[in-house]
Amino acid sequence: FEIFRPHLEKIVKLKQDECKYIREKGHPYNTLLDAYEEGMTVEKLIPVFNNLKKDLIGLLEKIKSSEIHKKQKRVLLKGNFSINEQRKFCDDVISRIGLKREISRLDLSMHPFTDKVGIDDVRITTNFRENPLFSFESTIHEAGHALYELNLPKKEANNVLGEVPSLGMHESQSRFWENMLGKSESFWRFYYPKFKKAYNLKGDFEQFFREVNFVEPSFIRIESDEITYCLHIILRFEIELGLIEGKIKVKDLPKVWNQKMQTIFGIKPRNDREGVLQDMHWSQGALGYFPTYAIGTIYAAQLYEKLKHDKKNIEVQIAKGDYSQVGDWLKKNIHSLGSSMLANDVIKKICGEGLNHKNYISYLNRKFSKIYKLK
């Protein structure tokens, strides 16, 4: 961290200056946030994130104190799983999601990402690790991003209307596919028999499904579960506010980070690599970016609830490995709009209200109360 520190101090100073020069209304941080999530403000986010933080920590504690969680161990998905088999599953799922080979491809990188090269040309990457779910879920996540890029209005491809309205909306699409579908019971009713056969897994569906949705506080954001993921984002948001306000000094970041990890998650990083140094965002000056991950996660829950309302049999289709209705619904309601509306207005138009964390908390409560038999 001491090697990185002087460079980050310059970056933070530049970002503070940027806020002074541009001066969006309200909190100085609004200037940075607006670059990634136009129309969203600190004043709107703080109450949402405060309530979300409280609700997530409460649900996490209930899960950790449940008898099922106390006895739970990750045993089914440990071992040396064939990379060829993992690759086959990744290729299969992106095909079912709707990514055509002639306009997309899947490659390897240390950190999975999506890159739009041009019209009808989007590349995604994944990474193979000990647990085959990492590559599978990462591929689904990036495929969600890729579909959005490929389905933007072609007639507006050469102007701003053919772009996405915000990073939060972009993230809503990847989190939608990764979590709302990719970690759902109906999704795994189709894929579990295939996983069981390919990887010679022992145990029943219920045990496997709990492992897919395993809840445990962890140090690394991109490896976290549905319950703790947004807590990782809120931690970063709180730190960024402190940096811009001058209440947190760059030199104190490792200490501040570790204290927040202890308070929120009950764990303390053993080193800065699994703590304050794990993300690349600050090194590229992307302060204001992190909140979009939580915003997108909340949007995803709202959209999935609306999808199930509009398509009564959608979970039956998903259980058959058919996601065509899901893709068509997203293309019609989200992708085809491009940036003709602000992201929060798109959600209002579709769901009847803008950003609302209560939908996400209700979804998590329903899902994990069933998995862990919470009262």
Side-chain angles (χ1 to χ4, degrees):
F1 181 80
E2 284 306 309
I3 297 172
F4 181 42
R5 173 184 158 185
H7 305 287
L8 184 56
E9 286 175 338
K10 292 178 183 178
I11 289 171
V12 170
K13 177 62 169 61
L14 285 169
K15 288 294 156 180
Q16 290 172 331
D17 290 344
E18 182 181 339
C19 294
K20 292 175 184 175
Y21 293 143
I22 297 178
R23 291 186 183 178
E24 288 286 343
K25 292 181 179 178
H27 196 282
Y29 186 86
N30 288 342
T31 293
L32 306 179
L33 182 59
D34 196 70
Y36 303 105
E37 198 67 27
E38 187 179 357
M40 193 56 67
T41 66
V42 169
E43 290 77 11
K44 294 176 184 177
L45 276 187
I46 284 180
V48 172
F49 281 4
N50 284 347
N51 287 323
L52 180 60
K53 180 180 178 181
K54 177 184 175 184
D55 290 342
L56 288 175
I57 291 175
L59 181 53
L60 177 60
E61 291 306 313
K62 285 174 67 176
I63 291 172
K64 286 165 62 179
S65 63
S66 71
E67 290 302 314
I68 290 178
H69 188 273
K70 290 175 183 177
K71 297 175 183 176
Q72 184 176 7
K73 293 181 180 179
R74 267 184 166 167
V75 293
L76 297 182
L77 294 169
K78 280 194 172 182
N80 295 314
F81 295 100
S82 164
I83 289 179
N84 287 334
E85 285 295 338
Q86 292 188 51
R87 176 72 194 224
K88 288 178 184 177
F89 277 114
C90 292
D91 287 337
D92 181 73
V93 77
I94 60 177
S95 175
R96 291 179 183 280
I97 286 173
L99 280 188
K100 299 177 181 177
R101 289 183 179 275
E102 61 267 28
I103 56 176
S104 67
R105 57 178 289 142
L106 175 67
D107 291 291
L108 291 177
S109 66
M110 182 58 69
H111 183 117
F113 68 90
T114 298
D115 193 17
K116 182 176 183 179
V117 179
I119 299 172
D120 286 337
D121 188 350
V122 176
R123 322 292 177 91
I124 68 174
T125 70
T126 193
N127 185 269
F128 299 112
R129 300 187 181 176
E130 181 181 353
N131 188 332
L133 284 178
F134 182 86
S135 61
F136 192 59
E137 292 175 354
S138 297
T139 300
I140 295 171
H141 180 101
E142 300 306 331
H145 281 306
L147 267 189
Y148 197 178
E149 292 288 348
L150 291 168
N151 288 331
L152 289 167
K154 297 287 192 298
K155 66 178 181 179
E156 307 291 359
N158 296 312
N159 67 69
V160 70
L161 294 177
E163 298 176 359
V164 299
S166 80
L167 287 186
M169 185 60 79
H170 221 317
E171 195 65 16
S172 78
Q173 300 308 285
S174 57
R175 300 290 282 175
F176 183 99
W177 284 101
E178 177 192 4
N179 290 339
M180 315 314 294
L181 260 77
K183 290 183 178 178
S184 69
E185 182 175 343
S186 52
F187 178 89
W188 282 107
R189 288 293 177 188
F190 176 79
Y191 265 110
Y192 172 63
K194 300 177 184 298
F195 263 59
K196 186 174 184 178
K197 181 179 179 181
Y199 298 130
N200 192 29
L201 299 178
K202 309 301 179 184
D204 57 19
F205 176 83
E206 187 178 41
Q207 185 181 1
F208 178 84
F209 189 58
R210 278 202 302 270
E211 287 209 17
V212 170
N213 291 281
F214 188 76
V215 174
E216 184 175 52
S218 58
F219 300 114
I220 307 300
R221 172 181 63 87
I222 64 168
E223 297 174 1
S224 60
D225 55 74
E226 277 191 283
I227 303 294
T228 59
Y229 182 82
C230 283
L231 292 173
H232 281 275
I233 302 306
I234 292 169
L235 178 150
R236 290 155 174 78
F237 173 68
E238 291 176 352
I239 288 176
E240 287 189 350
L241 285 183
L243 288 171
I244 295 304
E245 292 169 350
K247 295 177 180 178
I248 296 176
K249 304 299 181 185
V250 171
K251 67 181 179 65
D252 297 324
L253 276 179
K255 182 176 70 174
V256 172
W257 184 285
N258 291 349
Q259 286 174 343
K260 284 185 174 291
M261 284 295 296
Q262 187 70 55
T263 300
I264 297 173
F265 297 95
I267 56 177
K268 184 179 179 181
R270 292 161 293 190
N271 53 59
D272 291 335
R273 183 175 62 84
E274 64 182 19
V276 71
L277 290 177
Q278 68 180 271
D279 296 301
M280 68 176 187
H281 300 62
W282 292 344
S283 63
Q284 66 178 119
L287 278 79
Y289 189 127
F290 278 121
T292 67
Y293 291 121
I295 291 169
T297 301
I298 295 170
Y299 283 163
Q302 293 179 257
L303 290 171
Y304 191 58
E305 185 174 303
K306 177 60 175 167
L307 169 67
K308 289 193 295 182
H309 177 271
D310 290 352
K311 305 284 185 179
K312 304 298 184 185
N313 71 332
I314 198 64
E315 290 179 322
V316 174
Q317 296 302 312
I318 293 169
K320 294 177 180 178
D322 180 357
Y323 316 137
S324 57
Q325 288 188 42
V326 178
D328 290 344
W329 188 88
L330 290 173
K331 182 177 181 180
K332 176 185 176 182
N333 289 285
I334 303 289
H335 307 165
S336 64
L337 296 178
S339 62
S340 60
M341 301 172 67
L342 294 180
N344 202 50
D345 291 335
V346 173
I347 298 299
K348 276 184 186 176
K349 178 175 182 288
I350 299 168
C351 303
E353 61 179 352
L355 185 71
N356 187 348
H357 84 286
K358 292 180 181 178
N359 296 75
Y360 183 49
I361 292 298
S362 294
Y363 152 75
L364 292 176
N365 271 309
R366 287 194 303 272
K367 178 177 180 176
F368 288 94
S369 290
K370 183 177 180 181
I371 292 172
Y372 287 100
K373 295 180 170 45
L374 305 178
K375 296 179 180 179

